Structure formats: structure tokens, C-alpha cells
Amino acid sequence: MSELPFEYWNKLTSQFILISVFLGGFSIALTANLIISQTNDKLHNIILKVATTSSGGFLVTVFAMTNILMATTEGYPLEVTQDDLNTPRIIGILGYLVGVFSLFAIIGLSGWTKSRGTGIFTTVVSVITLVLFLVLVSS
């Protein structure tokens, strides 16, 4: 596998940060709404836990990718090698995947709070979205 130049990492991490901040904000808002909700059944509690996991994953991604962004920006005061980017890159990508997969679970579970029919619909949409995500990531 060829090593990506720092300029590319810099642009790539900027995009990861943008996407993660947006999706993390959505997850945090959902978490806050579920916390103040008067509903306290098992399904709502599961969705709250998954939303919290999603929020955490995206926050970790923002911090890890910010680390890479700073290290790959011209003028960074310390010498940086490709190996220095491995730990934040792995942690950031894992956090991103945790966040995204948790969002898929939230989408799939959300409809079950209303009715069986809506639950089936949201689960199908979530599975289709997951499959398309995996196809796009693997290409």
C-alpha cells in the first residue's frame, strides 16, 4: 500500500471532521431529546444507548482527525512521519465507523417506537443504507 502525502491527509481529515461534527451534533441532539423524554420503555433506552455510542464515536473522530489535520498542516512545529499518523488515523476511522453503524441502528430501531409497519419500513431503509454504504466504502 502506498503512503498518502500529507497534503492529501490534510484535505481528507478536513472532510472527516466536517462530516463527523454534523453527524455527531445530530446524535448529541437525539441523545438530549431522549434523555428529557418522559418515555422510559426498553426500546427507548436501547435507542438512547445507541445514540450515545454514536455521539461518542463521532466525537472521538473529530479529535483524532484534528490531531492529523494539525500535524499535516504546513508550519507544524514538530517533525511528523507517516508512522506518527497511524494511531490517530486508526482511532479516528474506528470512531467514525462506530458512529455511522450506530446511526444505522438508530434509523432501524426508530420506527419500532411507533408501530410494527413503521418498524419494518425503517429497518429495511437502514439495511439498504448500510449495504450502499459498504459498497461505496469498498470501492
Side-chain angles (χ1 to χ4, degrees), residues 84-138:
D84 296 331
L85 303 180
N86 284 341
T87 300
R89 184 183 70 210
I90 291 167
I91 291 171
I93 290 172
L94 288 175
Y96 182 78
L97 291 174
V98 164
V100 168
F101 289 134
S102 296
L103 279 181
F104 292 146
I106 293 167
I107 292 168
L109 292 171
S110 64
W112 294 98
T113 63
K114 296 296 177 192
S115 69
R116 185 175 189 273
T118 306
I120 291 170
F121 175 78
T122 58
T123 301
V124 169
V125 168
S126 179
V127 169
I128 290 170
T129 306
L130 171 64
V131 169
L132 293 174
F133 173 80
L134 293 174
V135 167
L136 290 172
V137 169
S138 67

Side-chain angles (χ1 to χ4, degrees), residues 15-120:
Q15 293 302 308
F16 266 107
I17 291 168
L18 177 68
I19 293 167
S20 296
V21 165
F22 175 73
L23 294 176
F26 171 76
S27 297
I28 291 168
L30 178 60
T31 301
N33 280 323
L34 289 170
I35 287 173
I36 64 171
S37 169
Q38 298 300 321
T39 309
N40 198 22
D41 63 9
K42 185 176 180 178
L43 184 56
H44 279 85
N45 289 335
I46 291 170
I47 294 172
L48 172 62
K49 291 174 184 174
V50 176
T52 303
T53 303
S54 177
S55 302
F58 287 125
L59 282 175
V60 167
T61 300
V62 169
F63 296 131
M65 294 301 169
T66 299
N67 182 321
I68 296 172
L69 181 71
M70 291 187 320
T72 58
T73 298
E74 189 176 327
Y76 187 70
L78 304 174
E79 187 173 331
V80 179
T81 65
Q82 288 285 340
D83 289 338
D84 296 331
L85 303 180
N86 284 341
T87 300
R89 184 183 70 210
I90 291 167
I91 291 171
I93 290 172
L94 288 175
Y96 182 78
L97 291 174
V98 164
V100 168
F101 289 134
S102 296
L103 279 181
F104 292 146
I106 293 167
I107 292 168
L109 292 171
S110 64
W112 294 98
T113 63
K114 296 296 177 192
S115 69
R116 185 175 189 273
T118 306
I120 291 170

